[in-house]
Amino acid sequence: MRQVLIVGGGASGLAAGIAAAREGAQVTILEHMDRVGKKILSTGNGRCNMTNLSLKAEHYRCSQRGFPMKVLDRFSVWDTLTFFEELGVLTKSRNGYIYPNSEQASAVLDALRLETERLGVQVVLSCHIQSLKRLGKGLFEARTDQGVFRGDRLILAAGSKAAPVTGSDGSGYELAKGFGHRIIEPLPALVQLRCQGAFLKQLAGIRCEAVVKLKCGDKILAADKGELQLTDYGVSGIPTFQISRFASVALYEGRKVSVVLDLLPSKSMEETRQFLSRRARLMGYRQAGDFLTGVLNKKLAAVLLKLGKIPETLPVERISREQLNSLTLLIKQLELPVTATNPFEQAQVCCGGVDTREVRPETMESKLTPGLYLAGELLDVDGVCGGYNLQWAWSTGVLAGRCAGRMGA
């Protein structure tokens, strides 16, 4: 019987364990936390956005373009839905975003855990790796604080450095390096951005629809639209998360970047200019402090007026054309220099990781060490928000598990 060792009991590790056991292998999962799948519980704000019906190359970032889809074509979103249906999880779609019908992430984890128990997968908790090596052809050894474990195949599914409280402490990178794998510098992704601006404290807590662009010199590195959250240190919210990995890389490389906010995305620059001019003619009787009432959040409007050097007590009819043009630019192109991302503790995932050029997309097997497989966030692949990172975990875990567990493979 094939013996499979799996380091890491997160989403990809559990999927790998189930897939390997279904191939008839005897499986042991070594997990350093006191329970498996802890990170799954926090996904989708506790509701678990399991995957997404729209699965395209543009939803993933990787140093080797094309690698993610080569993997996902072999275990797709439809395969994932079938996989969880067989585990008893009824799913539902919200505009293509897939959740468990119960909207409880714990239900997804319970289904995975129950299946590992049914299949006889051995799960060793609070188990810390002391050394991991290949003894010879077809034999791996893990020395831990709970004894020595051996297997014919080894799957590394130890996660990234994001959200270390859930168990992703980056230890998997060192284990992969021990087998000769190159690690592309892991950096925070799907994370908040810290910005310059003394006025940010006045804007803390404001949410508004916006287009958020990441700018480096004259080049736009990335952009996204959605609900922006302004904080006392910078910007947050889904559109910020979507562009944050590009900010991480640029800052790591020593480049200066800024976020450019379009706070009225429903109108073009010229439409906004005409809108404000017309509004000034109609509401000339108001004071400037009330000029944007009903258009933008009052605290946000006050900051924009101050930046545009328009006194709040100034009658609207006395606002000059130059001041209106300045206000238009501030609404459509408010630029904030980015000083840093928030740390790994606040990041949902990482960009960077094991170089995918050293991994076979058909099987997730290492090209450097036969019998070694790599899965999940450990790899240099990160998805955008919307269930894409969990889909990556399911796909890589199942492929690695199937191939590692299959006799003759």
Side-chain angles (χ1 to χ4, degrees):
M1 180 182 290
R2 175 63 54 81
Q3 308 283 324
V4 176
L5 283 181
I6 300 174
V7 177
S12 60
L14 290 170
I18 290 169
R22 287 178 174 177
E23 292 293 331
Q26 184 175 330
V27 180
T28 301
I29 296 176
L30 307 178
E31 168 56 47
H32 69 174
M33 298 295 283
D34 60 358
R35 64 180 300 179
V36 295
K38 194 169 183 180
K39 194 169 185 179
I40 294 173
L41 298 176
S42 62
T43 58
N45 292 320
R47 294 180 297 145
C48 194
N49 184 186
M50 300 164 63
T51 184
N52 200 299
L53 296 182
S54 176
L55 205 62
K56 301 176 183 176
E58 65 201 54
H59 297 130
Y60 291 91
R61 291 78 180 254
C62 176
S63 298
Q64 185 185 187
R65 183 176 294 182
F67 181 87
M69 293 311 296
K70 288 180 181 177
V71 174
L72 296 164
D73 284 344
R74 287 169 173 80
F75 192 84
S76 68
V77 57
W78 307 109
D79 295 317
T80 295
L81 294 177
T82 300
F83 178 79
F84 279 102
E85 181 182 346
E86 292 172 351
L87 297 184
V89 179
L90 179 64
T91 59
K92 64 181 177 183
S93 171
R94 285 187 172 176
N95 298 317
Y97 294 69
I98 302 299
Y99 295 88
N101 194 63
S102 64
E103 296 199 5
Q104 291 179 301
S106 58
V108 175
L109 177 54
D110 285 344
L112 292 166
R113 183 180 52 77
L114 289 168
E115 183 66 358
T116 59
E117 291 175 0
R118 185 186 75 82
L119 293 168
V121 174
Q122 180 185 11
V123 178
V124 185
L125 300 174
S126 302
C127 181
H128 301 277
I129 305 292
Q130 296 170 341
S131 69
L132 198 59
K133 59 185 178 181
R134 188 175 186 236
L135 297 178
K137 185 176 180 180
L139 186 61
F140 293 87
E141 178 185 86
R143 289 190 173 271
T144 78
D145 58 355
Q146 296 197 39
V148 178
F149 300 87
R150 292 188 175 92
D152 308 303
R153 298 291 185 268
L154 172 65
I155 299 174
L156 290 182
S160 62
K161 295 177 74 172
V165 69
T166 64
S168 300
D169 62 359
S171 58
Y173 299 129
E174 291 303 313
L175 297 177
K177 282 173 68 175
F179 290 101
H181 280 278
R182 175 174 177 261
I183 307 300
I184 295 170
E185 185 67 28
L187 301 168
L190 300 188
V191 69
Q192 305 87 350
L193 298 180
R194 306 188 76 86
C195 303
Q196 287 180 0
F199 54 83
L200 285 169
K201 289 185 178 180
Q202 297 171 247
L203 303 179
I206 293 175
R207 296 171 181 250
C208 61
E209 189 76 7
V211 170
V212 183
K213 297 179 181 179
L214 185 71
K215 182 180 177 184
C216 182
D218 295 328
K219 186 178 180 181
I220 300 299
L221 301 181
D224 200 73
K225 180 180 178 181
E227 187 181 66
L228 171 71
Q229 296 177 31
L230 294 162
T231 71
D232 59 356
Y233 59 79
V235 290
S236 183
I238 298 297
T240 301
F241 292 165
Q242 306 289 46
I243 67 169
S244 60
R245 64 100 62 204
F246 299 99
S248 278
V249 173
L251 291 168
Y252 176 74
E253 294 174 346
R255 292 183 284 158
K256 293 182 179 180
V257 291
S258 59
V259 288
V260 180
L261 308 179
D262 180 351
L263 300 167
L264 198 61
S266 61
K267 297 182 182 297
S268 67
M269 179 74 78
E270 184 56 33
E271 287 171 340
T272 301
R273 184 177 287 110
Q274 293 177 7
F275 169 74
L276 293 180
S277 296
R278 185 167 60 252
R279 190 175 178 87
R281 290 194 300 271
L282 293 172
M283 299 181 176
Y285 59 89
R286 289 186 179 182
Q287 290 188 331
D290 296 317
F291 181 49
L292 295 175
T293 298
V295 178
L296 297 175
N297 178 282
K298 194 170 183 65
K299 290 195 295 183
L300 177 58
V303 166
L304 295 175
L305 288 169
K306 187 174 182 179
L307 291 173
K309 299 180 180 180
I310 303 173
E312 290 192 19
T313 56
L314 181 72
V316 169
E317 62 185 2
R318 291 177 54 191
I319 297 177
S320 69
R321 179 177 297 178
E322 291 73 20
Q323 287 173 316
L324 280 177
N325 285 336
S326 175
L327 186 58
T328 299
L329 286 172
L330 287 166
I331 291 172
K332 296 295 291 181
Q333 296 179 351
L334 179 62
E335 188 165 347
L336 304 173
V338 178
T339 58
T341 69
N342 266 356
F344 289 111
E345 284 76 9
Q346 278 77 54
Q348 293 183 24
V349 296
C350 288
C351 58
V354 174
D355 192 335
T356 58
R357 286 170 291 191
E358 301 167 348
V359 179
R360 303 183 192 282
E362 302 86 1
T363 61
M364 306 313 299
E365 186 176 16
S366 167
K367 293 180 180 179
L368 308 181
T369 304
L372 171 66
Y373 299 78
L374 304 107
E377 288 184 34
L378 188 64
L379 294 153
D380 173 36
V381 175
D382 56 290
V384 299
C385 294
Y388 297 103
N389 289 293
L390 271 181
Q391 178 60 55
W392 180 249
W394 312 135
S395 295
T396 55
V398 169
L399 286 180
R402 281 179 180 171
C403 296
R406 190 175 300 143
M407 291 299 293

